[in-house]
Amino acid sequence: MNKALLRDLKRIAQTLPARYQIGKGELSPTVFALLDAALTANELIKITVHESVWETMQTQLDALTQSLQAMLVQKIGHKLILYRENPAIRKYASR
């Protein structure tokens, strides 16, 4: 990912609502499947991580991004912004 794309993704993510939440159940297979489907459909998603699992999530963040084959664009407070290019839609890669 080049710097220009990263800058654009951060700018776009500011206006995105956080539609996904990782809560007390942490990363269940259902949540993982939901995030995978969301990345396939949208390429860029914003996730809110509940305060009670934030510490655990930070240690598992690399494993999460690797399993989803996604890139961490930004981490702000308890929010994560993930990006995975989808060749079928390519919303952001051509920017």
Side-chain angles (χ1 to χ4, degrees), residues 47-89:
I47 305 166
T48 301
V49 180
H50 192 270
E51 190 174 329
S52 64
V53 295
W54 181 248
E55 294 297 321
T56 307
M57 192 65 216
Q58 285 190 317
T59 60
Q60 297 175 350
L61 194 54
D62 286 337
L64 172 68
T65 55
Q66 286 177 0
S67 354
L68 289 171
Q69 297 175 344
M71 298 171 70
L72 178 66
V73 173
Q74 196 169 27
K75 180 171 57 169
I76 301 175
H78 291 262
K79 298 204 186 310
L80 305 173
I81 299 160
L82 298 179
Y83 171 75
R84 179 176 71 197
E85 185 178 339
N86 181 347
I89 57 176

Side-chain angles (χ1 to χ4, degrees), residues 1-11 72-73:
M1 177 182 312
N2 62 35
K3 289 182 181 183
L5 176 60
L6 183 62
R7 183 187 63 237
D8 286 346
L9 292 174
K10 286 179 182 181
R11 180 182 50 78
L72 178 66
V73 173

